[in-house]
């Protein structure tokens, strides 16, 4: 396979130099974007975990949900009623009432 090399004119050398500079500057920019993407991804995962934890700690079930649980109890609804009673007990003693 023979291919023809272009003549090394001053214009072609200048073109090669600008191409080389563009690849060098692109490589410097290529390092920043993946790092920024990883940083933003980690920040998003961290904020999601934090908000889930806050919701789990400070959320108490609404009375509407508790009433709905009582109404939709299956025929042997002893377990569901007991669970609703436990949720009511938890809502009365939840830490959310202590948070200003």
């Amino acid at each position: 396979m023979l291919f023809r090399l272009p003549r090394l004119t001053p214009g072609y050398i200048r073109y090669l130099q600008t191409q080389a500079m563009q690849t060098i500057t692109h490589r410097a920019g290529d390092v920043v974007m993946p790092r920024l993407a990883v940083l933003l991804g980690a920040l998003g995962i961290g904020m999601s975990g934090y908000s889930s934890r806050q919701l789990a700690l400070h959320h108490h079930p609404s009375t509407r949900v508790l009433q709905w649980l009582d109404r939709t109890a299956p025929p042997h609804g002893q377990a569901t009623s007991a669970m609703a009673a436990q949720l009511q007990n938890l809502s009365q003693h939840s830490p959310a009432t202590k948070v200003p």
Side-chain angles (χ1 to χ4, degrees):
M1 294 213 162
L2 296 173
F3 58 93
R4 194 170 156 225
L5 291 174
R7 288 187 183 176
L8 293 177
T9 61
Y12 185 67
I13 291 173
R14 199 173 312 120
Y15 170 75
L16 290 176
Q17 287 174 342
T18 56
Q19 289 288 59
M21 284 303 294
Q22 285 179 354
T23 55
I24 289 172
T25 56
H26 278 302
R27 287 185 184 156
D30 288 342
V31 174
V32 173
M33 288 306 285
R35 287 182 181 171
L36 182 63
V38 168
L39 176 71
L40 289 175
L43 184 68
I45 291 171
M47 288 297 293
S48 174
Y50 175 76
S51 63
S52 297
R53 182 175 182 272
Q54 292 299 314
L55 184 63
L57 288 177
H58 302 295
H59 175 75
H60 57 279
S62 67
T63 55
R64 188 182 333 172
V65 171
L66 296 174
Q67 290 171 355
W68 180 80
L69 281 175
D70 280 338
R71 271 189 275 139
T72 59
H76 6 348
Q78 301 293 338
T80 308
S81 298
M83 183 173 54
Q86 287 176 352
L87 283 173
Q88 280 180 339
N89 189 21
L90 284 175
S91 68
Q92 291 171 359
H93 301 293
S94 75
T97 56
K98 298 175 187 173
V99 176

